[in-house]
Amino acid sequence: MTNTNGVVSAALQGTLLATMLRIREFEEAVGEMNLRGLTAGSMLHLSVGEEATAAGIGRAMREGDLFTTHHRGHGIFIARGGDVGHMMAEIFGKVDGYCRGKGGSMHIADIAFGHMGANAIVGGNIPISLGGGFALAYLGKSNASVAFFGDGALNQGILYESMNMAALWKLPVMFAVVNNQYGMGTHIKRASACLRFVERAETFGLRGAEVDGMDVEKVWTIADELLTHSRAGNGPTFLISNTYRYYGHGRKDPSPYRTKEEEAEWRSRDPIESYIKKLVASGVIGESDVQKLRNDVASEVAAAVEYATRSPTPPREELYADVYADSWGAT
Ligand SMILES: Cc1ncc(C[n+]2csc(CCOP(=O)(O)OP(=O)(O)O)c2C)c(N)n1
Ligand SMILES: [Mg+2]
């Protein structure tokens, strides 16, 4: 959806904005439900602030592409087309959820969307996406497999084993880092001796890039270029998108490890409000269109909460259903 000089089309601009607004509305609502004690489980990781990264990469992906996410994956799945009603029901632990209420916030997935799973083990999803890339190459498909993970996985050995194998076998894998600056309470500068992550990936033979993760068009443009590179059989890529999570590690974490000034500085670059300003100033969209979009996503998410509230909890007899495969395929 770019024209010949690389400018993002007006239709795509509208899609990117709507996607970010939908993610923000959903995440704020889920956070509210968590505070009211309506979500299942104790932990809830929100991606408010990270919308441009999810929307930029998610919308640059296309049908047939595969992906896995880390534990902060709601926004990414919404960007790939996840239904907010089934997502909300899953987070409420209800039968109409994507995993019939057994996965919860951290394990929402649906293979129909190419979503091979969200993973709570830091870095644990990376080799799964590597396997997805192997399958795509093996089957001769012109698609890519994307592993979304946080900066906390940047020093995990599995990342480097996976990057090596992906480069060695020229697999169509994108290693997509949602760098929100913190792994729980530890700033990236306190966890990494060297911050030149793109160079690390390039040393392994990957094509790498770093992007301002608060600018959705920049994220979309570089993601589109890197995914096109991999789909054409040129091997794996690495993209680090610099962003921020507005809430703490979990919704109830008050983030005592960072300053209010730092939070305010990132919030002043809000990916959604800055994009609205840009689109309105350039005449792509009017204030009333923006208000309509806001109203639409608000109704959509309110309906999702309603749907999740009405959905029943899974019956006791279902406790072990979908936990183990019926057959291992061996006799
Ligand atoms: C292997 C492993 N070590 C530690 C943890 C505990 N843990 C859960 S989330 C997290 C921080 C992850 O930070 P990051 O990857 O940057 O993702 P973010 O939470 O910032 O989105 C940690 C250390 C874990 N789940 N898995
Ligand atoms: Mg992080």
Side-chain angles (χ1 to χ4, degrees), residues 5-296:
N5 56 11
V7 178
V8 175
S9 72
L12 178 58
Q13 289 178 316
T15 303
L16 292 174
L17 176 59
T19 304
M20 291 197 293
L21 283 169
R22 183 174 294 110
I23 296 172
R24 175 74 56 96
E25 187 73 23
F26 180 83
E27 292 285 63
E28 293 287 12
V30 174
E32 178 63 30
M33 297 303 128
N34 177 253
L35 295 180
R36 289 194 212 165
L38 294 171
T39 58
S42 58
M43 274 313 262
L44 182 76
H45 308 99
L46 299 178
S47 61
V48 177
E50 301 177 2
E51 295 88 351
T53 302
I57 303 176
R59 300 309 303 186
M61 292 171 65
R62 66 181 188 205
E63 214 182 317
D65 288 346
L66 303 172
F67 68 109
T68 59
T69 76
H70 55 340
H71 52 281
R72 203 178 295 285
H74 302 163
I76 296 160
F77 191 25
I78 290 174
R80 289 303 305 134
D83 173 80
V84 290
H86 293 311
M87 289 180 70
M88 192 67 82
E90 188 58 44
I91 294 169
F92 275 46
K94 301 292 192 71
V95 289
D96 292 303
Y98 271 107
C99 309
R100 292 190 64 77
K102 291 177 184 164
S105 158
M106 261 191 279
H107 300 284
I108 302 177
D110 187 349
I111 197 70
F113 290 85
H115 193 344
M116 297 190 297
N119 203 305
I121 300 170
V122 172
N125 64 310
I126 296 171
I128 297 172
S129 278
L130 175 75
F134 179 84
L136 291 173
Y138 187 79
L139 297 171
K141 307 249 184 199
S142 298
N143 279 108
S145 173
V146 183
F148 289 92
F149 53 92
D151 46 289
L154 277 168
N155 294 307
Q156 293 287 74
I158 191 66
L159 171 61
Y160 299 95
E161 293 179 51
S162 300
M163 289 205 296
N164 176 60
M165 195 173 276
L168 186 67
W169 292 345
K170 267 192 147 184
L171 302 179
V173 180
M174 175 190 269
F175 297 85
V177 191
V178 187
N179 174 20
N180 60 16
Q181 319 298 317
Y182 289 88
M184 299 192 91
T186 306
H187 193 273
I188 188 169
K189 287 186 182 156
R190 290 182 56 223
S192 289
C194 171
L195 300 177
R196 299 199 303 273
F197 300 107
V198 172
E199 278 179 45
R200 284 194 198 175
E202 285 171 347
T203 305
F204 279 79
L206 282 79
R207 178 145 164 190
E210 181 162 4
V211 70
D212 175 2
M214 305 304 264
D215 184 325
V216 71
E217 286 191 16
K218 282 190 183 151
V219 178
W220 185 90
T221 303
I222 188 68
D224 180 57
E225 186 191 318
L226 295 178
L227 288 166
T228 302
H229 172 88
S230 284
R231 290 189 198 110
N234 297 311
T237 65
F238 175 93
L239 177 61
I240 180 161
S241 182
N242 300 318
T243 181
Y244 203 72
R245 55 164 160 76
Y246 291 179
Y247 290 108
H249 175 71
R251 175 62 184 84
K252 294 171 187 163
D253 163 22
S255 314
Y257 43 82
R258 61 189 196 187
T259 65
K260 295 295 157 215
E261 290 74 25
E262 180 186 287
E263 292 180 359
E265 150 67 15
W266 280 93
R267 278 178 182 264
S268 73
R269 300 178 47 221
D270 186 74
I272 300 179
E273 296 312 318
S274 62
Y275 198 45
I276 289 174
K277 249 188 221 155
K278 174 181 162 167
L279 296 187
V280 171
S282 58
V284 172
I285 199 164
E287 296 281 4
S288 58
D289 303 316
V290 175
Q291 196 48 54
K292 184 175 176 335
L293 272 177
R294 289 190 199 275
N295 295 344
D296 288 350

